[in-house]
Amino acid sequence: MARNRRLILTSPSEVWSLLADGRRYGEWVTGTQRILAADAHWPEVGARLQVRVGVGALTLDDTCVVRICEPERRLELEARADPFGAARIAMTLLPWGDATLLTIDWHPLRGPGIRMHGLPVDYVVKVRNGMMLTKLARIAVNEGRRPLSRASAP
């Protein structure tokens, strides 16, 4: 499992507003080239987000399905990218003073990713997820939200 944590200097409701907007995933999810479709009821359980991921001309279409949704607290997705299988992506928001501690856990569920699971793959996913959290934090703070001073964050 690859696990990343990031203190985001804005409230859980502000962070959630980004997670709850499926059309904006391409802004912060590393590797997303474009959003192909987002169900209108995203992020309710069962909602789907279809994205094109890749680097340059090497692309594939991916579908994310919401498996668990607890607004402003927890969002768990199943990302399917055939022929590579599927992975569980769990995002947990924890209030931390006026800020948010966001944790992302990634774990392969099925397909070749299970056989390749381990230190090298987890390291690459951890780097990717770290980049995603950095982008998400920047967007959350820059969108007219009042950034917290470092002194006010525990």
Side-chain angles (χ1 to χ4, degrees):
M1 175 188 309
R3 176 176 289 150
N4 295 72
R5 291 182 186 91
R6 172 79 186 231
L7 184 65
I8 300 177
L9 302 178
T10 193
S11 70
S13 64
E14 296 290 351
V15 175
W16 182 260
S17 71
L18 290 168
L19 298 179
D21 188 346
R23 293 270 174 206
R24 297 197 63 192
Y25 270 53
E27 295 176 37
W28 61 273
V29 176
T30 303
T32 300
Q33 290 189 343
R34 117 185 166 156
I35 305 299
L36 301 173
D39 285 352
H41 60 283
W42 181 271
E44 294 175 16
V45 172
R48 294 176 184 278
L49 183 65
Q50 295 176 329
V51 299
R52 179 154 296 141
V53 297
V55 178
L58 299 173
T59 65
L60 60 100
D61 292 346
D62 185 3
T63 301
C64 292
V65 179
V66 177
R67 296 296 183 206
I68 298 173
C69 177
E70 297 173 13
E72 297 186 21
R73 294 186 54 224
R74 182 173 162 205
L75 182 63
E76 292 198 18
L77 309 174
E78 180 177 333
R80 297 183 218 158
D82 291 327
F84 298 104
R88 171 187 163 268
I89 303 160
M91 294 172 272
T92 306
L93 293 79
L94 179 66
W96 197 263
D98 292 335
T100 306
L101 182 61
L102 180 61
T103 302
I104 295 182
D105 288 325
W106 176 94
H107 194 284
L109 295 172
R110 56 187 172 274
I114 290 176
R115 289 186 297 278
M116 298 184 311
H117 185 52
L119 185 59
V121 172
D122 286 355
Y123 177 77
V124 170
V125 171
K126 190 172 178 77
V127 169
R128 175 185 180 258
N129 289 350
M131 293 167 50
M132 289 183 347
L133 285 175
T134 297
K135 288 185 211 175
L136 182 70
R138 185 178 62 243
I139 293 167
V141 171
N142 287 339
E143 287 194 344
R145 295 169 175 90
R146 180 186 61 84
L148 303 173
S149 69
R150 293 244 176 232
S152 67

